[in-house]
Amino acid sequence: MKILGISGSPRKAGNTDTLLDKALEGAQSAGARVEKIALNDLNFKPCQECGGCDETGICVIDDDMQLVYRSLKSADAIIVASPIFFGSVTAQVKMMIDRLQSLWVLKYVLRKAATARRKRKGIFLCVSAARKKRFFENAKSIIKIFFATLDIKYAGDLCLGGLDRKQAIEERTGALKKAFDLGRALVKDR
């Protein structure tokens, strides 16, 4: 089983990355192979709404997003991690999701399976300096749409507020354990 972790944080080794790493560690402890993609390290453009995917469901932009498409298609489960920026997921996550227009076309316009027909699950990890629940709800609804496009069941989330310092997550051992357990459950609950 392969678990794909996608980090949408621009900050390396911050709260988001630490939470994602702990969830991937949990998945690995249950026997999964894991892959982590840090979106901020990739060189890719936003969707150009060029219509290049309209006939084939394949994005015509040749950039690092091609690597993400392959990883998304081959993963048995996906973990998306993002801090809250202005009440939503980061631009990096939103840009990746917008580039899934080609897979949306494949599924809803061309009526073809975007991925192999198998039951897949996904979880969302999210941190914020603020404690406003509506910010998490907005971010969760974006991730739910992303998962639905890829036929991934939204299997849960861990949304934590009040994390305004880098590595503040280290003080929340209960949250780190919950992230570990969520990652482990992706493998065990298959």
Side-chain angles (χ1 to χ4, degrees):
M1 174 176 208
K2 178 183 170 189
I3 307 289
L4 174 63
I6 300 171
S7 175
S9 179
R11 180 187 284 172
K12 288 186 184 290
N15 296 316
T16 303
D17 262 1
T18 301
L19 211 55
L20 177 58
D21 289 345
K22 194 53 77 170
L24 291 173
E25 184 183 317
Q28 208 165 24
S29 78
R33 290 177 295 115
V34 300
E35 176 187 4
K36 181 179 175 183
I37 294 175
L39 295 175
N40 204 54
D41 291 344
L42 302 180
N43 184 12
F44 67 105
K45 293 171 137 181
C47 179
Q48 300 298 298
E49 191 60 29
C50 64
C53 65
D54 288 353
E55 300 296 321
T56 63
I58 298 170
C59 183
V60 297
I61 301 171
D62 187 18
D63 59 12
D64 287 350
M65 190 62 194
Q66 298 302 326
L67 305 169
V68 177
Y69 292 133
R70 283 192 290 276
S71 293
L72 286 170
K73 288 178 182 178
S74 67
D76 296 301
I78 296 171
I79 304 169
V80 177
S82 177
I84 293 289
F85 278 19
F86 283 86
S88 188
V89 294
T90 60
Q92 290 87 337
V93 172
K94 187 62 171 76
M95 193 163 77
M96 175 198 66
I97 292 170
D98 287 351
R99 280 290 296 277
L100 296 180
Q101 178 66 16
S102 59
L103 298 180
W104 184 91
V105 165
L106 193 65
K107 180 178 181 179
Y108 295 108
V109 176
L110 301 176
R111 305 279 187 213
K112 297 179 182 176
T115 57
R117 295 276 182 209
R118 63 190 190 275
K119 292 182 181 180
R120 302 194 309 161
K121 293 181 182 179
I123 59 174
F124 179 46
L125 307 174
C126 190
V127 301
S128 175
R131 296 180 189 271
K132 296 179 180 175
K133 290 188 188 239
R134 70 178 186 265
F135 288 175
F136 293 122
E137 294 308 313
N138 182 45
K140 282 195 266 187
S141 74
I142 291 167
I143 297 301
K144 286 177 181 178
I145 293 167
F146 161 60
F147 283 168
T149 299
L150 296 178
D151 295 318
I152 295 169
K153 179 184 176 198
Y154 191 93
D157 53 62
L158 179 57
C159 299
L160 304 165
L163 295 167
D164 57 353
R165 290 180 291 103
K166 186 175 182 178
Q167 289 304 319
I169 192 71
E170 296 289 346
E171 298 162 11
R172 298 210 190 159
T173 55
L176 293 173
K177 181 177 180 340
K178 188 166 184 183
F180 181 92
D181 291 344
L182 280 169
R184 189 169 175 78
L186 278 176
V187 180
K188 292 292 185 186
D189 293 345
R190 282 196 57 102

